[in-house]
């Protein structure tokens, strides 16, 4: 499993300080020169000078091959958030030990000549190719993803625009229309919605914890049939007839409605940044592909036609001219994506 690189980088200054202390520790036994503390103490906030010779010191060696601080910094960049939050005095030796282990394993692999194995060479070449692609994309896209670009995207998407309508609703989900109509009749005669939800709803998640309460949601959060009904209703209203979706028959009650306010910049900063990265990466990739000649083949070795059939032709061939959604919107009664209740 690959570890995601966190957005916030571990402070290099922290590691540098730890390594500098490590590198200079032997000098602590020397008798310090007697100087006036007032003249030697640095002023508050003054930058601490770093000796270039100790800026990237050796932190370990394996068979005489040095491991330097920059390797520790690079390894720290790949750590997950929970590990990056560890105290430096714990994190620094842990990373050094990991690098020592890796170096020792590499030496043993080289002793066995694994680097000459054709399959290993293919794997190594693939890793090298991937590294080149990643560096190229990083250098092509990285400079464009800055605070000014993120602010501009935020202003374009949210600034001066009205908020989106939201509905707070609850529902009772059943398997057939007859049962749903019977529940509507009971509700019209004063039955308690939450009680019926706990008793009859097949959506046990919302029924057990909140009497069918779905919380606040936007129109695009639910399947079209469910949203169309819920957003056409008034506060306190119960649906006059059941609403059918692929999960069954719903009886809906709208508890409240509101217009949401645009999100604060800080709350969507990372989301916008990720979207800009995806967009810019796509531009770079498309440009690269446009500059090369690509020939594709079917599994049987026959060339793939570059011509895309028009919608009418696609329909005639039994294909849908409208691409299916990658993931259906959330719907009451649908099992969670991870399969857990």
């Amino acid at each position: 499993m690959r570890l995601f690189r966190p957005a916030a980088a571990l402070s290099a200054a922290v590691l540098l300080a730890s390594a500098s202390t490590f590198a200079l520790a032997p000098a602590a036994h020397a008798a310090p020169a007697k100087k006036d503390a007032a003249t030697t103490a640095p002023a508050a906030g003054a930058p601490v000078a770093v000796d270039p010779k100790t800026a990237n010191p050796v932190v370990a060696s394996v068979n005489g091959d040095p491991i330097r601080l920059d390797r520790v910094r690079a390894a720290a960049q790949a750590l997950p958030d929970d590990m990056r939050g560890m105290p430096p005095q714990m994190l620094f030796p842990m990373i050094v030990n990991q690098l020592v282990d890796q170096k020792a394993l590499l030496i043993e692999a080289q002793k066995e000549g694994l680097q000459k194995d054709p399959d290993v060479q293919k794997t190594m070449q693939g890793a090298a190719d991937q590294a080149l692609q990643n560096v190229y994309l990083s250098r092509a896209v990285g400079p464009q993803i800055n605070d000014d670009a993120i602010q501009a995207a935020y202003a374009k998407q949210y600034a001066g625009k009205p908020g989106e309508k939201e509905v707070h609703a609850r529902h009772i989900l059943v398997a057939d229309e007859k049962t749903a109509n019977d529940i509507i009749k009971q509700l019209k005669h004063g039955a308690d919605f939450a009680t019926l939800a706990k008793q009859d709803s097949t959506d046990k998640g919302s029924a057990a914890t909140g009497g069918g309460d779905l919380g606040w949601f936007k129109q695009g959060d639910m399947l079209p049939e469910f949203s169309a009904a819920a957003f056409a209703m008034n506060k306190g209203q119960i649906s006059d007839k059941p609403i059918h979706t692929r999960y069954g028959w719903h009886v809906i009650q709208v508890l409240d409605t509101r217009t949401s306010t645009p999100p604060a910049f800080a709350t969507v900063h990372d989301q916008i940044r990720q979207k800009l990265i995806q967009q810019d990466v796509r531009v770079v990739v498309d440009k690269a592909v446009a500059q090369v000649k690509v020939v594709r083949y079917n599994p049987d070795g026959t060339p793939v036609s570059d011509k895309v059939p028009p919608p009418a032709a696609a329909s005639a061939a039994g294909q849908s001219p409208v691409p299916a959604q990658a993931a259906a919107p959330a719907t009451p009664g649908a099992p969670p994506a991870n399969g857990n209740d």
Side-chain angles (χ1 to χ4, degrees):
M1 177 179 179
R2 294 184 179 273
L3 297 177
F4 290 98
R5 178 174 178 175
L10 180 67
S11 173
V14 173
L15 285 176
L16 180 58
S18 301
S20 299
T21 302
F22 170 80
L24 298 177
H29 298 290
K34 294 183 179 180
K35 293 185 179 180
D36 184 1
T39 61
T40 57
V48 179
V50 177
D51 185 348
K53 295 181 180 180
T54 62
N56 190 28
V58 175
V59 296
S61 67
V62 180
N63 281 358
D65 190 5
I67 298 174
R68 294 186 176 275
L69 179 61
D70 59 354
R71 292 283 305 281
V72 178
R73 290 174 179 155
Q77 295 290 333
L79 292 176
D81 284 331
D82 56 346
M83 295 185 68
R84 294 169 73 85
M86 294 172 59
Q89 62 269 25
M90 295 177 60
L91 185 62
F92 182 78
M94 182 190 72
I95 295 177
V96 171
N97 289 338
Q98 183 182 48
L99 293 175
V100 168
D101 293 345
Q102 293 173 357
K103 179 69 73 174
L105 286 172
L106 177 61
I107 290 173
E108 291 303 309
Q110 290 172 336
K111 284 181 181 179
E112 296 187 10
L114 293 182
Q115 69 275 20
K116 299 177 182 180
D117 185 293
D119 290 336
V120 175
Q121 289 178 343
K122 290 180 182 179
T123 301
M124 293 170 63
Q125 184 61 55
D129 291 346
Q130 186 66 57
L132 283 174
Q133 295 167 31
N134 290 342
V135 171
Y136 178 78
L137 285 172
S138 178
R139 293 184 178 181
V141 173
Q144 305 175 56
I145 310 301
N146 50 43
D147 284 340
D148 289 342
I150 297 173
Q151 285 277 8
Y154 173 81
K156 181 178 180 180
Q157 186 171 352
Y158 296 107
K161 294 184 178 180
E164 191 174 353
K165 183 180 178 181
E166 294 181 341
V167 164
H168 180 197
R170 56 184 177 179
H171 82 137
I172 300 172
L173 176 64
V174 293
D176 59 87
E177 186 177 12
K178 181 179 182 301
T179 303
N181 279 316
D182 182 61
I183 289 173
I184 291 174
K185 290 179 182 179
Q186 293 181 59
L187 292 171
K188 288 182 177 181
H189 286 84
D192 181 67
F193 195 103
T195 299
L196 291 181
K198 292 178 182 179
Q199 174 183 306
D200 299 322
S201 183
T202 59
D203 179 10
K204 299 302 181 183
S206 67
T209 59
D213 196 340
L214 300 170
W216 290 94
F217 54 87
K218 295 180 174 64
Q219 191 151 8
D221 294 338
M222 303 293 179
L223 286 178
E225 307 94 325
F226 190 95
S227 285
F231 279 81
M233 295 164 61
N234 298 318
K235 179 179 177 179
Q237 184 179 351
I238 296 174
S239 52
D240 294 327
K241 59 182 181 179
I243 292 86
H244 185 247
T245 70
R246 63 172 177 257
Y247 298 108
W249 296 86
H250 306 258
V251 177
I252 304 173
Q253 182 182 29
V254 171
L255 301 175
D256 204 354
T257 63
R258 69 184 182 188
T259 300
S260 64
T261 57
F265 176 71
T267 63
V268 293
H269 175 279
D270 291 346
Q271 177 184 337
I272 294 175
R273 180 178 180 275
Q274 187 61 34
K275 185 176 181 180
L276 290 178
I277 290 174
Q278 292 173 350
Q279 291 174 347
D280 289 351
V281 164
R282 187 69 261 167
V283 170
V284 172
V285 171
D286 288 346
K287 182 178 178 181
V289 173
Q291 295 176 355
V292 296
K293 181 180 180 180
V294 179
V295 180
R296 294 182 174 87
Y297 298 88
N298 293 307
D300 61 1
T302 58
V304 175
S305 174
D306 290 334
K307 296 181 179 180
V308 179
S315 297
Q319 302 172 354
S320 172
V322 180
Q325 290 180 315
T331 300
N338 59 8
N340 297 328
D341 292 332

